[in-house]
Amino acid sequence: MDGERLASGSSELAVGESPRGGAPIPDGSGSCSLLQADVLDLDEDEDDLEVFSKDASLMDMNSFSPMMPTSPLSMINQIKFEDESDLKDLFITVDAPESHVTTIETFITYRIITKTSRGEFDSSEFEVRRRYQDFLWLKGKLEEAHPTLIIPPLPEKFIVKGMVERFNDDFIETRRKALHKFLNRIADHPTLTFNEDFKVFLTAQAPELSSYKKQGPSLLSRMGQTVRAVASSMRGVKNRPDEFMEMNNFIETFSQKINLIDKISQRIYKEERDYLDEMKEFGPIHILWSASEEDLADTLKGIASCIDQCCKATEKRMTGLSEALLPVVHEYVLYSEMLMGVMKRRDQIQTELDSKVEALTYRKADADLLTEEIGKLEDKVECANNALKADWERWKQNMQNDLKSAFTDTAEENIRYYEQCLATWESFLTSQTDLPLEEDSEDKI
Amino acid sequence: MEQAAPDPDRQLQPAPVESLGGPGAVLEAAVGEETEGTREDSAGVHTMTGNDLWLKKIEISVSEAEKRTGRNAVNMQETYTAYLIETRSVERADGQSVLTDSLWRRYSEFELLRNYLLVYYPHVVVPPLPEKRAEFVWHKLSADNMDPDFVERRRIGLENFLLRVASHPVLCRDKIFYLFLTQEGNWKETVNETGFQLKADSRLKALNATFRVKNPDKRFTELKHYSDELQSVISHLLRVRARVADRLYGVYKVHGNYGRVFSEWSAIEKEMGDGLQSAGHHMDVYASSIDDILEDEEHYADQLKEYLFYAEALRAVCRKHELMQYDLETAAQDLASKKQQCEELATGTVRTFSLKGVTTKLFGQESAEQREARVKVLEEQINAGEQQLKSKNLEGREFVKNAWADIERFKEQKNRDLKEALISYAVMQISMCKKGIQVWTNAKECFSKM
């Protein structure tokens, strides 16, 4: 789900491998028939089983939909789950940050391009600009509508430590990537993807959005909800079912560990950067030295060149780390906070039920009314629990895959780094000694 | 520790250089009067070949270090380290080595030996001692002289020093050096009795000469520049290398934290648990691998340090040349002015300012006898001066010839040693990369099995 890349100019749906053993989908125009066959029964009530293809011969496959294929620009690789639609029909990109200055404030907006074939969207392509506040709004609405679903996390509002200016380039780029991920995770979520607020977010122009936002429950009533939520969570949950106890324990431990991993990974990045800085100074000294040596000049220059190559390899390694590992780990740090919130909300719903049940035991007077309310609440609790259970399994699966990928990629980056350095030094050694290398090393000149 | 005792390729040339050493300096030993030179085999064993019937090999090693306490010169308790020097003679016939001498020396005695050699062999690039205090330290390395790692590296450095002296065609024959290896008690007194401290050139004189010398041999001037550059660049290199080592240490050690956290995390994971646990183990391996890597690098740094200190030895030879040259120039100047004075007296013309001229003006001309007497004195002085100048010239040329021969020998040694050291650095990097590939390949496997 997170391996989305814009592969420009490809004329057919190129689907990457699924590392978790999802139906491996071969490339090639003949793939469409296979795809259709592999798609499991889904109770999709929308005709979104479209395959984007310029190949007209495939049009008969798309007989469900009156939609025309969209531009080739919107072909995106992705990794799908077995139990979800293998055909993605909502493609979102977040890019082109821009700074806006008004008399009151300065803020950044991001361009959001959505391409879709879904019927409920008025058009197949949308372009809007959203600012961070808008994302916050969307998240709040999703949490409201689905209190026990695991909503993807948003990047932090601001990072206090080590930030001189709120809008430095690295910060904006990191945030942009995280926002891109946020929207795509929602798009991939079987339930959230059909959320109305989500649709409005993606499609409404700025003024429309403002007026739409105002329609929601008032600030006051929302605050009231929050107060009740806090109050109930403080009362504690007495009857949390076992599976949710287990879930809670998992979340607590996971949260601890992922936070540590986040810190460790950031620290590694920093140490590598410091190492790189020193190495950059180390190499040139050998060149300086070679100027006063005749016989050693070649050797010294050779070493300087090797060090230089290793510096380049280190830079690559760092880039790899910052792309493959750091953002993923960090997202799961935020996820773990999010999960704790979900647990709280679930507990709160249960507490509502529990307190009504308690009330029933003591106040027989409103028995009928209470019983009715309890009935409703029991339904609510059951819904909430089921939603969470299903989403939990999905989330766990996702988490394992994402982190496994991230660490595997990191290991790969490190292997590549050492292989590059090895090749450099071995080539230098051969040039110096003119002797054959040991048998177990490859000749990588 | 293969890299522990760097075995520089000390190919020795037959000693062409005459010993200009001081009293009793030549080591006659048990080898016979005529020594054709020395040979060395790969174990650092030095054979003194000769016309004699039997050959004697000498093996020198600084095998142990020991902490001791004693009273120092001002009768205060102090702690110091003593080093055990063992000399073995190997009879060629049966190849067995017999311990011939074994004694303990402390660092200050090594210093004494070296200072003695500096005075009596000014034309030789005298091998340097390992550093007195730990320099170019990075955070893991201790600056404490009592730290066992420092003591160990110093032990190796001292052994290296002795081996270099023993393999030097001139220095190896010095008696004081021989006694250093064989006579524990009383050695200090023996050295001091040579009176070498008195013979040492004063620093002030040397400095003065450096500034005022007019025509030093150009090669020495160049050599001085070279040694300044060498010192500067190696210092810089060592400083930055220490910082690099520090940073590298950081990168590796932080990875160790993954080990612990993965292990704790694996407890709550069902499918991922095993993979995480074993990956964590590999992270631990990775983190601990840096210790050996950096220890090897420290030996590399020591090899460079030796040449950093050699730069000073080079400068010492240049200084001696400048001193001798300045001495020569002064003597020549003196002679020239005396000759002129003589001429003026003889011809009666006063071309140069002289005290005599002034007094003549003030007190009247001197008599003919007085003048003649003075001319005679001057002529004697001139004669003596010319002799002196001649011998000084000869001395100077001899010095330059011998010094330059040793410098050439040194240059070749330096090029060999440094090239070897630089290549060993590459070898170390290769080894580090291979270890890294292995660990991360293992880790990747664990991750992909998660």
Side-chain angles (χ1 to χ4, degrees), chain A residues 250 257 264-265 268 274-275 278 281-282 286 292-293 295 317 399-400 403-404 412 414 418, chain B residues 226 229 236 243 247 252 255 257-258 264 268-269 271 286 414-415 425 440 444 447-448 450:
Chain A
F250 184 95
K257 303 310 159 196
I264 295 169
S265 309
I268 289 177
D274 288 341
Y275 170 70
E278 298 295 352
E281 203 187 317
F282 191 50
H286 294 79
S292 50
E293 299 285 344
D295 293 330
R317 181 196 203 187
M399 178 271 285
Q400 285 167 351
L403 289 174
K404 173 177 156 172
E412 182 59 46
N414 280 307
Y418 281 114
Chain B
Y226 169 75
E229 275 170 22
H236 193 192
R243 294 206 300 255
R247 292 301 169 198
Y252 273 73
H255 278 87
N257 289 305
Y258 275 145
E264 291 166 3
I268 55 171
E269 294 287 348
E271 306 95 22
Y286 182 69
K414 168 200 65 125
N415 287 336
Y425 181 75
W440 282 104
K444 181 179 168 196
F447 286 135
S448 55
M450 283 190 343

Side-chain angles (χ1 to χ4, degrees), chain B residues 16-119:
Chain B
V17 178
E18 289 162 348
S19 173
L20 297 181
V26 177
L27 171 63
E28 302 292 346
V31 210
E33 304 293 326
E34 287 147 277
T35 51
E36 285 165 8
T38 46
R39 268 194 299 107
E40 183 208 15
D41 69 20
S42 56
V45 164
H46 309 278
T47 314
M48 293 168 113
T49 62
N51 294 331
D52 253 352
L53 292 171
W54 56 279
L55 302 160
K56 191 176 183 186
K57 289 188 201 169
I58 297 180
E59 239 174 61
I60 306 174
S61 67
V62 178
S63 51
E64 274 172 53
E66 208 177 76
K67 225 182 194 180
R68 295 204 182 153
T69 46
R71 296 219 166 257
N72 67 7
V74 288
N75 209 31
M76 291 190 42
Q77 273 277 60
E78 61 167 0
T79 317
Y80 63 92
T81 312
Y83 300 86
L84 179 65
I85 306 178
E86 295 178 314
T87 316
R88 290 181 160 75
S89 79
V90 183
E91 242 114 299
R92 237 282 201 71
D94 60 359
Q96 272 185 337
S97 84
V98 174
L99 188 66
T100 51
D101 292 282
S102 152
L103 39 68
W104 292 87
R105 295 267 183 229
R106 52 184 295 190
Y107 187 83
S108 57
E109 290 174 281
F110 281 85
E111 277 184 310
L112 192 59
L113 171 65
R114 185 164 191 272
N115 289 337
Y116 162 83
L117 292 172
L118 281 171
V119 171

Side-chain angles (χ1 to χ4, degrees), chain A residues 242 263 271 278 295 299 317 386 393 443:
Chain A
D242 280 340
K263 285 203 183 70
E271 294 286 340
E278 298 295 352
D295 293 330
T299 311
R317 181 196 203 187
N386 287 339
E393 287 308 317
D443 195 353

Side-chain angles (χ1 to χ4, degrees), chain A residues 298-306 422-434 437 445, chain B residues 419 422-427 430:
Chain A
D298 279 341
T299 311
L300 287 167
K301 283 187 189 153
I303 291 199
S305 152
C306 287
L422 180 67
T424 309
W425 288 108
E426 278 185 336
S427 147
F428 166 77
L429 196 67
T430 351
S431 73
Q432 290 298 305
T433 59
D434 294 320
L437 299 171
I445 295 178
Chain B
K419 183 159 181 180
L422 291 168
I423 288 176
S424 81
Y425 181 75
V427 170
I430 288 174

